[in-house]
Amino acid sequence: MPLPFLTADRAFDEAADTALPFDDRDQWRRPYRPGPYRVGTAALLLLLSSYVLFAAVIIAAAGDVSAAGVCGALAVLIIAAALRLLRMGTWVSARGLRYVGFFQTRTTAWNQVVTARTVQQPVRWLGLPRTVQGQALVLVRRDRQGEQTTLLTSHSADFLGRSTAFDRASDSVEVWAEEYRPHA
């Protein structure tokens, strides 16, 4: 079964000489693969959900249907969290740039983008409160009067230990921004 969210940059592997290798640019795409920490965490969550579902079946066979329903609902929540974790990241299309977080999604049209650039700054390590010196891809929007929004960091769950993948992903998003944002 093909999983398009896990094979996001296969086109980049096949056509590395072009910056925007997609034929259908209106479709939302993540220009990089989810990192091993993100995929590993999602796999562990799915493993946990299988144990919880198995417990729900055993509880239902024992005759306590309401407790089995609670276990089943908990398993569905764990599965939804794992899938949302895999969906998180920065997505691009001809319509704009979309940042998908765990609880919210923000979409910015290209005409609202002033610039997308890579900067050296303190970044959060794996999303935890601890900060380390690293790189970040920041977005500056017209409607925010120069306020920067961090899209990608070199120490996130997608790029920790994969500096080449971060450089490639940030360059790709910068090329999309340069291609589609209006020039003054």
Side-chain angles (χ1 to χ4, degrees):
M1 175 173 80
L3 300 173
F5 53 85
L6 292 178
T7 60
D9 70 344
R10 184 170 291 153
F12 285 99
D13 292 338
E14 295 167 357
D17 57 339
T18 178
L20 306 175
F22 300 114
D23 293 331
D24 182 15
R25 294 186 181 169
D26 288 329
Q27 183 178 359
W28 289 102
R29 301 184 185 278
R30 179 175 23 207
Y32 57 92
R33 287 189 182 121
Y37 293 99
R38 184 176 308 281
V39 173
T41 303
L44 288 175
L45 285 173
L46 290 174
L47 180 67
L48 175 66
S49 71
S50 70
Y51 286 119
V52 174
L53 279 173
F54 188 65
V57 169
I58 291 173
I59 292 171
D64 192 0
V65 179
S66 63
V70 169
C71 280
L74 179 63
V76 168
L77 285 175
I78 294 171
I79 292 169
L83 292 176
R84 186 64 180 184
L85 186 67
L86 287 173
R87 187 106 173 112
M88 289 172 56
T90 301
W91 298 71
V92 292
S93 81
R95 291 175 280 177
L97 187 132
R98 180 174 286 171
Y99 177 77
V100 178
F102 193 78
F103 292 111
Q104 67 178 352
T105 299
R106 292 185 308 262
T107 303
T108 304
W110 289 121
N111 61 3
Q112 290 297 315
V113 173
V114 174
T115 185
R117 66 180 184 274
T118 305
V119 295
Q120 289 277 11
Q121 69 180 29
V123 296
R124 294 172 62 180
W125 183 75
L126 290 176
L128 298 172
R130 178 178 176 227
T131 60
V132 295
Q133 189 64 27
Q135 294 182 322
L137 176 69
V138 295
L139 175 74
V140 179
R141 297 174 43 177
R142 290 187 201 291
D143 57 350
R144 299 278 173 108
Q145 285 83 24
E147 179 184 327
Q148 296 180 354
T149 304
T150 302
L151 299 175
L152 304 172
T153 66
S154 59
H155 288 75
S156 68
D158 289 322
F159 302 111
L160 186 64
R162 300 173 54 214
S163 60
T164 306
F166 173 78
D167 292 339
R168 189 168 160 189
S170 61
D171 289 346
S172 176
V173 173
E174 289 173 8
V175 167
W176 277 83
E178 188 63 30
E179 176 83 17
Y180 286 105
R181 72 178 175 83
H183 300 285

